[in-house]
Amino acid sequence: MTAILLGVLLTLMAVAFPIGFALMGTAAVTIPAAGMDLISVPVQLFSGTDSFAILAVPLFILMGELMSATTIAHRLVELAVSLVGWMRGGLAHVNVLTNAFMAEMSGSATADAAVLSKIFVPEMERAGYPKAYAAACTAVNATIGIIIPPSIPMVLYGVTTNTSIRDLFIAGIVPGIILAGAFMLTCYIFARRYNHPVDEHFELRRLKASLRGALLPMLIPILVVGGLIGGIFTATEAAGVGVIIALIGGAFMSPDFTWKKLYDALVTTARQTGVVMMLVAGSSVLGILVANEQIPQHVANGLQTFAHNPVLALLLINIFLLILGMFLQAAAAIIIVVPVLMPLAAKIGIDPVHFGIIVTLNLGIGQQTPPVATVLLTVCAITGLSIQQVMRYSKWFLITMFAVLMLVSYAPVTTLWFRHFIS
């Protein structure tokens, strides 16, 4: 039955079926073949999405869309310029820091890349940076958006595995900072090798002015993430608070924020939410058969050979996730594969929260690697560059991301220390 399930699913995906419908179609074919009753399918479709926690996904998407429609991103860019613009290759460092700021608000790498590529790529090109380098820098830096909380993939992981979303958000802080620092080091190496310009001079007066301008935008992560970590509200409530602040901030800070922009943000949110919900509903239906056939247990038993060597087993999991991320979107990969890998992760002693950050990092790399490469393709579409042009530079950033992945994978303290410290 496992072979039939995989055959039907891969066939539907190969003919470009939307993944959510492919999951449902696979369930519709294989559940009767397994001698199970289809009467449970409608109930499971509803119950799979009937979760208060998953309501955080559309709210975080809407929060990111509202910030994209306002001057919030530009104010954060100005703050980043005043902080690191004086360094050699300053605009590249500004790019990294702005993505780190945006990561505390949007939770989506694709959304961050779409907004910031329109700002940074033309600006860096005018300042003398190669356009392909500017695009590569913007694309890879957007990955920070799903590591530093809030993070939509972490919400999906938490819902799928019944892991605390609060703990996942806390665990992502240190790896996100490490990743941002590693990207800045990579940018500095590029700047020294290719003699990138010093774009700005440090001015205390400018820093004070930019801090005042960015005060309201920076309240969003303080209230949203801080309130979540402090136990004041749940991830869903935190996302709701973020939406309200972004909406009020947009109305007062952006003179050109119109009803049309609000409508567009709501429409985009509805479309993206629909995709996620179809994935969740489809996977919950297919999960009936997966549980009945004990597929996770069979996979774990099949990999039992490596369980005595946790280092090798974790390396194989990472390789599998890296390959998977090249062909599946992050949400689909989490919903389809993570429940299968969890028994093996537990068997080799990986904390579920630590494993969540490993999965998110792997899939973040997948967003940059063809053929799917959602973030990379977004930047290429906006800038008019080919994947080959951008990959000439982004491959070096991918090496950096892989090094951070290995550090986080084999040093659990990077994800678990801060949680224990706060607790």
Side-chain angles (χ1 to χ4, degrees), residues 14 125 140 142 201 237 255 265 345 405 418:
E125 187 180 16
V140 295
H201 296 289
E237 293 164 346
L405 171 63
F418 197 42

Side-chain angles (χ1 to χ4, degrees), residues 351-364:
D351 185 277
V353 173
H354 180 211
F355 188 58
I357 306 304
I358 293 172
V359 169
T360 306
L361 270 169
N362 272 291
L363 298 179

Side-chain angles (χ1 to χ4, degrees), residues 183-344:
F183 281 156
M184 291 188 75
L185 177 60
T186 306
C187 290
Y188 180 76
I189 294 172
F190 267 106
R192 296 294 299 180
R193 181 167 183 176
Y194 296 105
N195 196 31
H196 289 164
V198 175
D199 304 292
E200 303 283 343
H201 296 289
F202 180 79
E203 294 181 12
L204 185 59
R205 182 182 302 175
R206 183 176 184 178
L207 176 59
K208 290 179 179 178
S210 62
L211 281 171
R212 284 194 298 269
L215 182 60
L216 184 58
M218 293 306 293
L219 279 177
I220 297 177
I222 292 173
L223 293 176
V224 172
V225 180
L228 178 61
I229 291 175
I232 300 174
F233 33 63
T234 65
T236 304
E237 293 164 346
V241 170
V243 168
I244 293 172
I245 298 174
L247 184 59
I248 295 174
F252 283 99
M253 294 168 54
S254 303
D256 59 341
F257 185 66
T258 61
W259 289 106
K260 176 66 167 55
K261 288 188 175 182
L262 176 59
Y263 173 78
D264 291 342
L266 291 171
V267 169
T268 302
T269 300
R271 287 174 177 168
Q272 294 184 17
T273 302
V275 173
V276 173
M277 290 304 179
M278 290 299 292
L279 286 170
V280 174
S283 67
S284 66
V285 173
L286 194 61
I288 300 174
L289 181 65
V290 169
N292 184 71
E293 296 296 313
Q294 296 186 325
I295 292 177
Q297 290 82 353
H298 291 323
V299 172
N301 291 335
L303 294 171
Q304 181 70 33
T305 310
F306 306 102
H308 69 281
N309 188 339
V311 174
L312 178 58
L314 185 53
L315 179 61
L316 291 174
I317 289 174
N318 275 311
I319 293 173
F320 175 68
L321 287 170
L322 285 171
I323 296 172
L324 187 74
M326 296 172 63
F327 297 96
L328 283 180
Q329 292 179 334
I334 288 171
I335 292 169
I336 296 172
V337 176
V338 165
V340 178
L341 292 178
M342 283 298 289
L344 176 61

Side-chain angles (χ1 to χ4, degrees), residues 27-253:
V29 172
T30 53
I31 285 178
M36 300 170 63
D37 197 340
L38 278 173
I39 195 66
S40 61
V41 171
V43 176
Q44 193 65 30
L45 276 172
F46 174 78
S47 62
T49 56
D50 184 23
S51 168
F52 181 70
I54 208 169
L55 183 60
V57 173
L59 290 173
F60 279 130
I61 293 173
L62 179 57
M63 185 169 68
E65 289 298 319
L66 289 173
M67 288 187 297
S68 301
T70 65
T71 61
I72 288 177
H74 293 277
R75 291 170 183 261
L76 294 175
V77 170
E78 181 61 29
L79 176 60
V81 168
S82 64
L83 285 170
V84 297
W86 54 271
M87 300 172 67
R88 181 164 296 282
L91 276 179
H93 299 300
V94 171
N95 194 323
V96 177
L97 197 58
T98 303
N99 271 283
F101 289 152
M102 289 288 288
E104 299 174 80
M105 305 175 203
S106 72
S108 168
T110 306
D112 290 352
V115 174
L116 296 180
S117 60
K118 298 173 185 175
I119 298 173
F120 278 109
V121 175
E123 191 64 33
M124 291 178 71
E125 187 180 16
R126 280 193 294 270
Y129 296 83
K131 185 177 181 180
Y133 171 73
C137 191
T138 305
V140 295
N141 289 339
T143 306
I144 302 171
I146 63 171
I147 309 301
I148 294 179
S151 165
I152 292 173
M154 288 183 194
V155 172
L156 292 174
Y157 176 91
V159 172
T160 303
T161 63
N162 199 28
T163 302
S164 167
I165 296 173
R166 171 184 177 270
D167 288 349
L168 288 167
F169 280 8
I170 294 172
I173 294 174
V174 173
I177 293 172
I178 293 172
L179 185 62
F183 281 156
M184 291 188 75
L185 177 60
T186 306
C187 290
Y188 180 76
I189 294 172
F190 267 106
R192 296 294 299 180
R193 181 167 183 176
Y194 296 105
N195 196 31
H196 289 164
V198 175
D199 304 292
E200 303 283 343
H201 296 289
F202 180 79
E203 294 181 12
L204 185 59
R205 182 182 302 175
R206 183 176 184 178
L207 176 59
K208 290 179 179 178
S210 62
L211 281 171
R212 284 194 298 269
L215 182 60
L216 184 58
M218 293 306 293
L219 279 177
I220 297 177
I222 292 173
L223 293 176
V224 172
V225 180
L228 178 61
I229 291 175
I232 300 174
F233 33 63
T234 65
T236 304
E237 293 164 346
V241 170
V243 168
I244 293 172
I245 298 174
L247 184 59
I248 295 174
F252 283 99
M253 294 168 54

